[in-house]
Amino acid sequence: MKNMLKTTVLLAALTGLLVLIGDYFGGTGGMIIAFLFAVILNFGSYWYSDKIVLKMYRAKEVSPAEAPNLHRIVDGLVMKAGIPKPKVYIVQTAMPNAFATGRDPKHAAVAATTGILELLSYEEMEGVLAHELAHVKNRDTLISAIAATLAGVVTMIANWAQWAAIFGGFGGRDDDNGGIVGLIAMAIVAPIAATLIQLAISRSREFAADEEGARISRKPWALADALEKLEYGNSHYRPRVSDVQAKESSAHMFIVNPLKGGTIQSLFMTHPVTDERVKRLRAMRL
């Protein structure tokens, strides 16, 4: 409940930021246009985000005959979670990771990489897939898609603003306050703020999925062990020529961050610190 409240507040903040930017750059008319633009993009995100992501990673749907252990795990977990069985996919890459996508439990998919299947034990894979099914059950996949879309809209408008600053501004605001300095500041600050809010939503939902996933599998220690292995495996991962590479725009979807951070990693992390996630899981008593 605490994580859901935090997520709601952050989504409201992201929406408010978008409306504020629309008002700043185009007055009332700009605010309405920004809102309508967000609605259109969110509609597309709602219906097509899963197909886009699966195609992006060249995920291949597998049958029970092709991946018996994977299906066996999913079959057992969906019964415990009380949700429909999602489609099961495999991504051909040595990067050890997994993700879930889909707008709701009836239209969901879980995907595991060949790297994670080689790295983890059966029970550890149970922990990972329980985490991903928790995202599906809690509709985190839809929340993440909406947050990413809203943040993308803010960034897109900010890019327009940078060009507008070069060519003299939008000229559509109801008043002339702010001027060129305010325009440039908004163009720089807005996308950073949007990104930080989006990442905060992602981190909040990861903690919730860890807890819910542990309750589904009844094995919090298995997910904790898996997270430690995945953190090590991703930090030492060296891509092969044939590997599908993780994209920054979808890094938040994976169970652990597939991208390496920089000097300000803690601020722009898509996921909570793995040590903290493991600590919470090991402290759980079911």
Side-chain angles (χ1 to χ4, degrees):
M1 182 62 68
K2 181 180 178 181
N3 279 321
M4 183 56 72
L5 178 61
K6 181 179 178 181
T7 300
T8 302
V9 171
L10 289 169
L11 277 174
L14 194 51
T15 304
L17 177 61
L18 177 61
V19 173
L20 178 64
I21 292 171
D23 177 60
Y24 184 90
F25 291 139
T28 303
M31 181 170 59
I32 294 173
I33 291 172
F35 177 76
L36 292 176
F37 193 40
V39 169
I40 292 170
L41 288 179
N42 277 323
F43 179 82
S45 177
Y46 178 84
W47 287 104
Y48 301 112
S49 61
D50 56 338
K51 297 178 180 64
I52 293 171
V53 171
L54 291 169
K55 187 174 182 179
M56 179 190 303
Y57 288 106
R58 301 201 295 271
K60 177 183 178 293
E61 186 175 0
V62 290
S63 67
E66 293 172 304
N69 282 345
L70 204 54
H71 274 273
R72 191 176 298 115
I73 292 172
V74 173
D75 287 338
L77 292 174
V78 294
M79 290 182 63
K80 296 176 183 177
I83 59 175
K85 183 179 178 179
K87 294 181 178 179
V88 179
Y89 289 79
I90 287 181
V91 178
Q92 292 293 329
T93 175
M95 173 185 68
N97 232 312
F99 66 86
T101 185
R103 61 183 182 271
D104 58 47
K106 292 182 180 180
H107 303 87
V110 290
T113 68
T114 50
I116 197 173
L117 296 174
E118 294 170 359
L119 179 66
L120 301 187
S121 68
Y122 188 94
E123 289 184 316
E124 289 164 350
M125 276 304 304
E126 277 188 299
V128 167
L129 291 174
H131 169 100
E132 297 305 330
L133 291 175
H135 277 312
V136 171
K137 183 177 181 179
N138 296 334
R139 287 175 166 75
D140 291 340
T141 48
L142 177 60
I143 291 171
S144 296
I146 292 174
T149 300
L150 288 173
V153 172
V154 170
T155 302
M156 192 181 304
I157 294 175
N159 289 334
W160 292 346
Q162 292 173 18
W163 287 104
I166 295 173
F167 293 106
F170 282 91
R173 184 170 161 76
D174 297 335
D175 57 66
D176 296 325
N177 294 333
I180 194 69
V181 175
L183 184 64
I184 294 173
M186 183 66 79
I188 295 173
V189 173
I192 295 176
T195 299
L196 291 177
I197 293 172
Q198 179 200 353
L199 296 181
I201 291 172
S202 176
R203 291 192 294 268
S204 175
R205 301 318 302 155
E206 288 303 315
F207 278 133
D210 282 346
E211 181 177 350
E212 179 69 17
R215 295 188 186 283
I216 291 172
S217 69
R218 309 296 296 177
K219 299 173 183 177
W221 56 267
L223 178 54
D225 289 348
L227 289 174
E228 289 178 331
K229 282 188 177 182
L230 291 173
E231 180 70 18
Y232 180 85
N234 275 273
S235 64
H236 290 77
Y237 163 64
R238 297 295 179 268
R240 302 168 184 168
V241 176
S242 60
D243 279 357
V244 177
Q245 296 300 303
K247 310 293 190 299
E248 186 175 354
S249 61
S250 54
H252 63 280
M253 297 180 59
F254 290 89
I255 188 167
V256 296
N257 189 356
L259 304 175
K260 297 176 176 63
T263 56
I264 52 173
Q265 180 183 10
S266 61
L267 193 60
F268 289 94
M269 285 194 306
T270 56
H271 296 67
V273 176
T274 299
D275 287 346
E276 178 60 26
R277 297 172 69 182
V278 169
K279 179 181 176 181
R280 293 189 184 196
L281 286 165
R282 297 204 188 283
M284 285 186 69
R285 297 291 180 267
L286 300 179

